[in-house]
Amino acid sequence: MKAKLWTKSFILLIISTFISAVAGEAFNLPFSLTVFNETKSSLLSAIMLIAGFVPDILLGVWIAPLVDKWNKKRIVVALDCVFILLFILGGLYFQYFGFHYGFLLGLSLVLGTVSIVYSLAYHAWFPDILTKGMEQQSYSISFIVYPIATVAMAPVSAFLYKAIGMHNLFYIMAVGIGVAILLEMQIPYTPSMPAAQTKEKPKTNYLADLKMGLAYFKQDKGILYISIYVAITSGLSDAVSMLTQLVFQTTPGLTEVMYGTLISAGMLARVIAGAVNSKVTIPRGKRYRYTRMVYYLMEPLTVLILFQGNFLIMLVVYFVLHGMGQVSGTLRNAAFANYIQPQMRARVSSIQSFMISILLLIAYLGSGALGEGLPYRMIALGLAVLNTLAVYFLIDRQKNKVAPIYEHERVAEQ
């Protein structure tokens, strides 16, 4: 009997995630644009971005063993309620007091603290909802949720904060999350770990659990190399994205709405690539080669976008870049879901998040500081060179350890 992809639980989670994504896209880009418009500083803009993920550096690895043993659904729903309260608070402050860098920095730190726990719980819960044998298709679909939301909202959100005010965007986030909660509560919780493990007290053998996660990376060099590469490319690529936004905000002939349109083009490519990938899977034996090819192509294409002035060419290149990236990202996430045991997912994810956060911190601070005196485009070029070197040393030269993970197939029983 053919495995079923669109189960009730999967449908409910995808819809709730999409609603949250639409609200988030209506908020995130205007928030970033507002910070730079108000401060005129690349460094202060970078620090604001850093505030959103720096709690991961301090808390993620320590919280993961607890998340692995708690009810993931309850965590997700409870933290969604916390998000609603925080966004209402932010909306009220913005409505009555206006822009205040210190308040927003503090709010970003609190949101980041809640987000790390939420992200660990969500990503540990998600594989339990998938049908065995449908992982690549499921991740393909999940990967197009945010791109679809961005396609719909990015061009609009670029000027929404001026049209209706940032305080209303805070309220939109709160309403969107509220609707998502109603859907999430309809999903039954079916943990993949045995009942005896899920009933164990969370604090039992805490340090042993944490050491187990670290030992997993030490023993499996393939997971370690891929995780280091993902951390490096995430940090450098996000810094380049920040610099690209600043280029559009400071270059004559380029506008914030054009930047929103560029983002929309990239996300449209992800939607199309994800839809195709959900129907046509890349066969075993070719996944590593495809991924390596994409990694090598990403940086030259990124540089091409920034170093020429034709906006139409920018759109086309951005479209191609994100289409290829969508497929490679799906392959990597499906490979990890197949390869990593269920009881280790949150711990592995937390250590990966920790590594990504460290690289994001370095990349944002470095590029933000350099941006105070150097051209944004030249900084982006330097980051692209570093990213390409990471591909060579961590993915290409480590083929014997990395390739088997990309080609791994999930067994019937775990």
Side-chain angles (χ1 to χ4, degrees):
M1 183 177 178
K2 186 177 179 180
K4 186 177 181 180
L5 172 62
W6 290 100
T7 62
K8 179 182 177 180
S9 294
F10 185 64
I11 292 172
L12 287 170
L13 189 60
I14 289 297
I15 293 175
S16 69
T17 303
F18 176 75
I19 292 171
S20 296
V22 169
E25 186 56 40
F27 174 82
N28 292 333
L29 179 57
F31 183 77
S32 180
L33 294 171
T34 298
V35 171
F36 183 73
N37 282 337
E38 294 286 345
T39 64
K40 305 299 181 185
S41 169
S42 60
L43 181 57
L44 290 178
S45 297
I47 291 173
M48 185 66 75
L49 290 171
I50 289 168
F53 65 80
V54 73
D56 190 10
I57 301 175
L58 304 174
L59 299 175
V61 174
W62 301 98
I63 291 174
L66 305 183
V67 173
D68 270 328
K69 293 178 179 179
W70 283 339
N71 184 308
K72 311 323 188 275
K73 174 186 172 181
R74 289 179 183 173
I75 297 174
V76 168
V77 173
L79 293 183
D80 271 336
C81 294
V82 175
F83 278 129
I84 290 176
L85 295 176
L86 290 173
F87 280 111
I88 291 176
L89 173 64
L92 290 171
Y93 189 95
F94 229 106
Q95 183 174 358
Y96 292 103
F97 300 102
F99 180 88
H100 188 279
Y101 187 85
F103 171 80
L104 293 179
L105 188 65
L107 181 61
S108 293
L109 282 169
V110 175
L111 286 170
T113 301
V114 178
S115 293
I116 178 56
V117 185
Y118 181 92
S119 178
L120 289 171
Y122 180 92
H123 288 100
W125 181 29
F126 188 82
D128 294 336
I129 293 175
L130 309 184
T131 304
K132 285 186 174 66
M134 303 299 290
E135 291 82 13
Q136 189 175 148
Q137 294 90 333
S138 299
Y139 274 100
S140 296
I141 292 168
S142 71
F143 260 47
I144 68 174
V145 170
Y146 285 93
I148 289 176
T150 304
V151 169
M153 294 302 299
V156 178
S157 66
F159 61 83
L160 264 182
Y161 72 108
K162 292 182 178 178
I164 66 174
M166 274 302 303
H167 64 283
N168 284 320
L169 295 180
F170 275 98
Y171 299 147
I172 288 174
M173 276 296 297
V175 171
I177 294 173
V179 175
I181 289 175
L182 296 178
L183 296 173
E184 290 163 355
M185 292 182 67
Q186 308 304 312
I187 302 174
Y189 182 62
T190 54
S192 56
M193 286 189 296
Q197 293 187 41
T198 58
K199 292 179 181 179
E200 186 180 351
K201 293 182 180 180
K203 293 185 179 180
T204 302
N205 298 323
Y206 178 84
L207 291 178
D209 289 336
L210 180 59
K211 291 178 181 178
M212 187 184 303
L214 295 172
Y216 191 89
F217 280 86
K218 184 177 180 180
Q219 295 169 3
D220 197 316
K221 299 299 183 182
I223 291 291
L224 176 63
Y225 291 135
I226 294 173
S227 298
I228 293 174
Y229 169 73
V230 171
I232 291 173
T233 194
S234 296
L236 299 183
S237 297
D238 279 17
V240 170
S241 295
M242 180 191 73
L243 294 168
T244 302
Q245 175 193 313
L246 302 187
V247 167
F248 273 79
Q249 287 185 270
T250 58
T251 302
L254 298 178
T255 67
E256 295 167 348
V257 175
M258 290 172 71
Y259 177 70
T261 305
L262 183 74
I263 298 299
S264 184
M267 294 303 103
L268 178 61
R270 290 183 176 274
V271 171
I272 295 172
V276 172
N277 200 35
S278 69
K279 299 294 183 180
V280 181
T281 60
I282 295 179
R284 187 177 185 181
K286 296 183 179 180
R287 297 167 188 169
Y288 168 78
R289 283 183 291 169
Y290 174 86
T291 302
R292 182 182 59 180
M293 176 194 71
V294 171
Y295 290 165
Y296 270 124
L297 287 175
M298 286 176 69
E299 302 316 312
L301 291 177
T302 300
V303 172
L304 177 61
I305 292 169
L306 286 174
F307 278 85
Q308 54 79 44
N310 189 303
F311 184 62
L312 180 59
I313 295 177
M314 288 184 180
L315 289 175
V316 173
V317 175
Y318 208 77
F319 183 91
V320 173
L321 174 66
H322 282 264
M324 293 189 304
Q326 167 70 21
V327 179
S328 67
T330 299
L331 290 177
R332 183 181 66 247
N333 280 274
F336 274 34
N338 292 339
Y339 189 82
I340 299 172
Q341 296 89 345
Q343 65 271 21
M344 295 297 299
R345 287 176 189 150
R347 273 163 280 196
V348 170
S349 178
S350 70
I351 296 172
Q352 289 171 336
S353 296
F354 176 81
M355 295 164 63
I356 289 172
S357 296
I358 292 293
L359 266 297
L360 281 171
L361 176 63
I362 296 171
Y364 276 140
L365 273 181
S367 58
L370 290 172
E372 296 294 299
L374 295 176
Y376 300 140
R377 289 182 174 90
M378 294 306 299
I379 301 170
L381 175 61
L383 297 180
V385 172
L386 292 176
N387 221 343
T388 302
L389 290 174
V391 178
Y392 175 71
F393 285 107
L394 295 169
I395 302 298
D396 201 341
R397 293 198 59 179
Q398 305 300 331
K399 177 181 178 180
N400 291 339
K401 297 180 179 66
V402 169
I405 295 174
Y406 282 96
E407 310 299 344
H408 185 79
E409 295 285 356
R410 192 179 190 185
V411 295
E413 297 292 336
Q414 290 193 353

